[in-house]
Amino acid sequence: MKRKTEDLSKEEIIVILDTLYTALSSIQGRDAIKLFLRDLLTPSERIMLGRRIIIARLLMAGETYGRIQERMGVGRTTVGRVQHWLDDQFPGFEKAIAGIEKEYGRRAEKKLYATSALHRLKKQYPLYYLLLPSQKITTKPIYPARKSKTK
């Protein structure tokens, strides 16, 4: 028999939420969390939660409601609901977004490290590059195209 949230007692809600939070906090690693959420939520619920996080990230970055609606294909109510959660001064979203930004920064650093020999050298010898100014990269070709001599 299905029970509505309104029909649950305060104690039952506390026990249920404590079980959820304990289960989530006991999981370590991205892959384990991915498997847990895959088993716990439907595909549309996972997508809905992910979109809310992206909307919160865009709002915190200063994007307008209109641009977020256009970019994400969501209604004004959804953006407003996420903005309301951010305005409630609950640090959950802010901490999650800060963690996401940190992880994305790490991924970008890793990608840059893997593709750029100069970046690897700067990481290996930071004082050398700190003391000596780096050369600016020019967009001019090394060998400029020759001017054709037409008469």
Side-chain angles (χ1 to χ4, degrees):
M1 179 175 152
K2 185 176 179 181
R3 293 180 68 189
K4 294 182 180 179
T5 307
E6 299 85 31
D7 297 337
L8 297 172
S9 71
K10 219 174 194 180
E11 292 79 24
E12 287 176 309
I13 291 173
I14 290 170
V15 169
I16 291 168
L17 291 178
D18 182 59
T19 305
L20 174 65
Y21 302 149
T22 305
L24 285 170
S25 68
S26 69
I27 301 170
Q28 295 183 357
R30 186 177 187 275
D31 290 335
I33 292 172
K34 189 164 44 169
L35 289 173
F36 178 73
L37 290 177
R38 187 198 66 201
D39 295 344
L40 182 67
L41 303 170
T42 65
S44 63
E45 289 171 332
R46 290 192 308 266
I47 289 171
M48 180 181 61
L49 290 173
R51 290 174 79 173
R52 286 179 185 168
I53 293 168
I54 292 171
I55 291 168
R57 189 172 173 221
L58 292 171
L59 285 168
M60 289 174 70
E63 287 288 331
T64 63
Y65 275 40
R67 290 194 53 160
I68 294 172
Q69 286 176 255
E70 183 182 311
R71 180 175 174 182
M72 299 296 300
V74 296
R76 189 167 185 81
T77 337
T78 304
V79 179
R81 192 176 316 125
V82 173
Q83 180 67 58
H84 178 71
W85 292 330
L86 288 172
D87 291 342
D88 278 344
Q89 300 300 317
F90 295 116
F93 260 126
E94 285 86 357
K95 286 184 179 179
I97 301 301
I100 288 170
E101 296 299 336
K102 189 176 180 181
E103 175 62 25
Y104 285 163
R106 242 191 325 258
R107 287 181 189 178
E109 178 81 16
K110 197 178 223 182
K111 186 177 181 180
L112 184 61
Y113 186 81
T115 58
S116 170
L118 180 61
H119 184 74
R120 286 193 298 272
L121 284 172
K122 284 183 177 182
K123 290 287 273 188
Q124 190 171 0
Y125 305 107
L127 287 177
Y128 177 81
Y129 287 96
L130 180 68
L131 297 174
L132 297 175
S134 59
Q135 294 178 343
K136 292 185 180 179
I137 299 174
T138 61
T139 56
K140 292 181 184 178
I142 296 172
Y143 299 104
R146 292 185 182 167
K147 295 179 183 175
S148 59
K149 297 179 182 178
T150 53
K151 293 183 180 180

